[in-house]
Amino acid sequence: MLSQPHNRKPLLAGSLICAGFLALFSLSCTAQPLSSKKSFTRQDTLRGSITPERAWWNVLKYAITVEPDFNSKTIRGSNTIQFAVLQPGTKMQIDLQQPMEILSAKWKNNSLEFRRDGNVYYLQFPSAPAAGTTQSITIEFGGKPREAQRPPWDGGWIWRKDAKGNPWMSVACQGLGASVWYPCKDHQSDEPDQGAALSMIVPDDLVGVGNGKLISKTPDGNGKTKYNWAVTNPINNYNIVPYIGKYAHWHEVYNGEKGKLDCDFWVLESNLEKAKSQFKQVPAMLKCFEHWFGPYPFYEDSYKLVESPHLGMEHQSAVAYGNKYQNGYLGTDLSGSGWGLKWDFIIIHESGHEWFANNITTNDIADMWVHEGFTNYSESLFTECEYGKQAGAEYVIGLRKNIANDIPVQGPYGVNQEGSGDMYYKGANMIHTIRTIIDNDELFRDILRGLNKEFYHKTVTATQVEEYINQKSGKDFSKVYEQYLRTTKIPQLEFKTRKGEVEFKWTNVVDGFDMPVKVDLGGQWKLLQPTTEWQSLKLADWHTGEVFKIDSNYYVTPKRVH
């Protein structure tokens, strides 16, 4: 995802956008408006935790129908929610943000009573569905959804016109939540296990594009057409998004690790030729990411780029693209290294999220560094695939200038709150540091591919990811995670030299920090094992000189003392 500009946190949307603003305007960004709060409300807890009214049921499938009215900026629709009953329960929490309203709710063709509590509705069942059964409810909804003013940084429904004056509509709602426009169980830990269907009823002269594959297109009467799309794999709530506009389309096939992958491209008619040129970067991206991360996770649902009325977002199997058909991040290099102008940031970053965010999804957005840190590092890996390892390293190292170290990367749990926007650049540099310590690129690649295999189509905790890396690498990175994710302090390697000897130790670190680091000592590289206590090293066996240079692949700072 791209984050959005604000005074508090991340950077990119679909993950990346914020980063751009950080680099260009020295702002810190985050995915939709979730400012870093110091206190939380009951509504935050209802949204961010598994309440008793959520715990007794598990979402299996959403079947959403929506009909927007461009002139009034209103929508009306329904959502049939199929769910598994985990334990008996009669009170169900359904999320739908104000000013949207539930109009009716039915179970077994009988109306359910419901009441509103802020952005939450409680549906009352007349009796408890039996544990172990599969049930479904149909909810009709309508209203004037919150309108996004600066998508994707602030979320909501997007009502725009293209350059020729045609209506152009979509949604961006990561962080803010899918419940900004449709009723759902709006918690990242519960994805519909069997996928989702999205039907859009639109004027005959427009096209509706959704996630997955187009199942059918049927006349709906009164000058309207119904486009029916479906995803067969689990999907994040915020990734289920309509795109409605004057679209043109072309289809390609990519021969990938799992066979033939359908690749579809939907762009405004007026941009068709420039899109066909710019999107030639897609096969190289897929080749690189399948090499490093494993097979594209959604072969059954296809890969798509869809031109959007905002910069970009990682909508699963329908990646939002709005980078104006140019390389870089809106024509700029976020790293300052020059390498970021060699490729299209939105194509690379947002597609990288198909592995980290869409395939592997965190249960709580407090752990969103798993999405953004690895995806930010995918930019470096793509640079490496195209231009070599040194180029990839220069790119990720260049991103450090955007790190704010304002608040910890890991956010508070249970209240729908992210941590710092540093989850992008700092997260990527932590991963690069870990790769440097592992010092075995094949093993590092095995770990990345292993993560996507072990947690295939799963929701996870950051702890699971951290422990997996520890286990597969044979190294304990616990203090590294604690340092970079849970504090704002950057490790400082203090040193002092005298003739024939150097002394060194870690400062500005958590208790027990003992990360190894490679240092150039007068012309020879040596792997040091510093702790928070002074150590000394004789230089008799090394070239003479006062050089003490830390390998720049480690995200640390040196400090000479006397």
Side-chain angles (χ1 to χ4, degrees):
M1 133 208 173
L2 290 170
S3 43
Q4 47 195 353
H6 68 103
N7 52 2
R8 140 235 194 218
K9 105 144 238 179
L11 294 167
L12 310 178
S15 333
L16 24 99
I17 285 181
C18 218
F21 273 81
L22 270 176
L24 297 175
F25 304 110
S26 298
L27 295 176
S28 106
C29 314
T30 161
Q32 272 114 28
L34 302 172
S35 47
S36 67
K37 299 180 179 180
K38 294 185 179 178
S39 62
F40 298 94
T41 67
R42 178 172 173 274
Q43 286 289 316
D44 293 323
T45 300
L46 289 177
R47 172 65 195 287
S49 62
I50 299 299
T51 62
E53 294 79 13
R54 281 172 161 174
W56 64 269
W57 57 288
N58 172 60
V59 179
L60 297 179
K61 188 173 183 178
Y62 291 127
I64 304 163
T65 297
V66 64
E67 182 176 4
D69 184 290
F70 184 82
N71 293 325
S72 65
K73 296 184 177 181
T74 61
I75 64 174
R76 186 180 180 96
S78 65
N79 187 11
T80 296
I81 304 174
Q82 189 177 93
F83 61 95
V85 181
L86 305 179
Q87 60 193 50
T90 58
K91 189 177 180 182
M92 173 182 282
Q93 176 180 331
I94 293 292
D95 305 286
L96 185 64
Q97 296 177 35
Q98 297 172 320
M100 291 297 294
E101 294 183 332
I102 287 181
L103 306 176
S104 69
K106 290 188 176 181
W107 174 56
K108 296 182 177 181
N109 293 319
N110 295 313
S111 295
L112 295 176
E113 295 182 356
F114 55 86
R115 67 176 179 85
R116 177 160 222 161
D117 181 359
N119 292 325
V120 164
Y121 278 90
Y122 292 107
L123 277 56
Q124 187 66 50
F125 286 72
S127 59
T133 63
T134 297
Q135 305 287 331
S136 68
I137 56 172
T138 297
I139 301 173
E140 292 187 340
F141 63 93
K144 189 171 185 176
R146 168 176 170 163
E147 182 176 357
Q149 300 300 316
R150 292 184 303 155
W153 299 290
D154 79 317
W157 198 277
I158 303 166
W159 310 92
R160 296 282 173 84
K161 289 187 177 182
D162 64 22
K164 294 190 174 182
N166 301 301
W168 194 13
M169 296 166 271
S170 191
V171 174
C173 58
Q174 184 181 17
L176 178 62
S179 58
V180 73
W181 73 278
Y182 72 89
C184 59
K185 186 179 186 177
D186 205 357
H187 194 272
Q188 205 159 267
S189 67
D190 195 356
E191 300 179 349
D193 300 336
Q194 298 171 11
L198 175 61
S199 296
M200 291 156 278
I201 301 172
V202 304
D204 286 339
D205 60 343
L206 299 179
V207 175
V209 182
N211 309 84
K213 293 188 175 182
L214 181 62
I215 304 304
S216 64
K217 170 187 171 184
T218 58
D220 201 65
N222 298 316
K224 299 287 185 73
T225 299
K226 189 175 186 179
Y227 288 84
N228 302 298
W229 293 77
V231 168
T232 60
N233 290 299
I235 184 170
N236 302 336
N237 290 348
Y238 72 82
N239 273 336
I240 304 172
V241 164
Y243 301 88
I244 301 167
K246 200 82 168 177
Y247 283 110
H249 164 253
W250 82 94
H251 172 79
E252 297 177 4
V253 174
Y254 176 76
N255 292 312
E257 288 195 13
K258 286 179 66 175
K260 295 184 181 301
L261 172 63
D262 288 316
C263 297
D264 290 276
F265 306 95
W266 296 82
V267 301
L268 295 181
E269 290 179 346
S270 57
N271 291 329
L272 182 59
E273 294 309 313
K274 65 175 73 172
K276 286 186 174 181
S277 175
Q278 187 72 1
F279 291 179
K280 288 179 181 178
Q281 298 182 34
V282 167
M285 174 275 296
L286 289 170
K287 180 180 179 181
C288 177
F289 288 170
E290 286 206 327
H291 171 81
W292 279 102
F293 303 147
Y296 174 73
F298 309 108
Y299 269 73
E300 302 83 359
D301 295 325
S302 80
Y303 170 86
K304 286 198 299 297
L305 285 179
V306 186
E307 187 170 1
S308 59
H310 60 85
L311 182 54
M313 186 71 73
E314 69 269 20
H315 301 142
Q316 184 174 310
S317 70
V319 171
Y321 177 86
N323 202 38
K324 303 183 184 301
Y325 302 101
Q326 58 188 325
N327 283 351
Y329 176 97
L330 291 174
T332 65
D333 175 11
L334 298 180
S335 74
S337 67
W339 297 113
L341 292 175
K342 303 286 187 181
W343 39 266
D344 190 312
F345 178 87
I346 295 297
I347 293 176
I348 304 308
H349 179 95
E350 300 304 343
S351 297
H353 274 305
E354 292 282 40
W355 284 264
F356 291 96
N358 299 346
N359 184 37
I360 303 173
T361 305
T362 58
N363 289 323
D364 194 305
I365 67 171
D367 287 334
M368 209 166 84
W369 71 266
V370 174
H371 297 194
E372 302 304 344
F374 282 99
T375 301
N376 192 263
Y377 196 60
S378 76
E379 302 161 25
S380 177
L381 292 175
F382 181 76
T383 303
E384 180 173 334
C385 285
E386 293 292 290
Y387 305 104
K389 187 173 182 178
Q390 183 60 34
E394 290 173 2
Y395 178 81
V396 70
I397 291 168
L399 295 175
R400 292 175 188 169
K401 64 185 175 65
N402 303 316
I403 298 173
N405 284 316
D406 49 354
I407 59 175
V409 166
Q410 180 179 290
Y413 292 103
V415 287
N416 194 49
Q417 181 65 50
E418 306 162 12
S420 171
D422 286 347
M423 68 177 76
Y424 296 87
Y425 306 132
K426 190 175 181 180
N429 272 280
M430 181 190 75
I431 293 166
H432 188 63
T433 298
I434 288 172
R435 176 187 181 181
T436 302
I437 295 169
I438 291 174
D439 197 25
N440 181 329
D441 283 350
E442 279 306 306
L443 175 57
F444 180 67
R445 174 173 171 254
D446 287 346
I447 290 171
L448 297 180
R449 290 175 67 95
L451 283 167
N452 279 281
K453 183 177 180 180
E454 177 75 14
F455 303 120
Y456 184 72
H457 293 177
K458 292 181 181 178
T459 63
V460 302
T461 64
T463 299
Q464 288 175 277
V465 172
E466 294 167 13
E467 290 177 349
Y468 182 90
I469 295 172
N470 289 349
Q471 177 189 356
K472 297 301 179 180
S473 68
K475 299 180 184 296
D476 185 358
F477 290 105
S478 300
K479 293 298 180 180
V480 174
Y481 304 134
E482 183 180 351
Q483 180 75 33
Y484 290 102
L485 301 176
R486 291 149 202 146
T487 80
T488 59
K489 300 185 293 186
I490 301 306
Q492 197 167 68
L493 189 59
E494 286 193 357
F495 70 97
K496 49 189 175 182
T497 59
R498 53 177 65 102
K499 190 172 183 179
E501 185 179 61
V502 60
E503 295 182 65
F504 54 89
K505 71 171 182 176
W506 286 121
T507 60
N508 203 42
V509 292
V510 298
D511 291 343
F513 189 80
D514 60 353
M515 186 179 80
V517 63
K518 191 176 292 185
V519 174
D520 180 356
L521 297 171
Q524 291 278 356
W525 288 98
K526 183 170 180 63
L527 185 66
L528 303 183
Q529 299 284 343
T531 65
T532 54
E533 302 295 327
W534 284 109
Q535 298 180 49
S536 63
L537 180 68
K538 298 293 184 182
L539 298 179
D541 296 333
W542 304 90
H543 295 293
T544 59
E546 295 298 316
V547 176
F548 188 93
K549 180 181 179 182
I550 299 173
D551 183 344
S552 59
N553 290 298
Y554 296 83
Y555 179 37
V556 302
T557 60
K559 181 181 180 182
R560 180 188 289 272
V561 297
H562 301 285

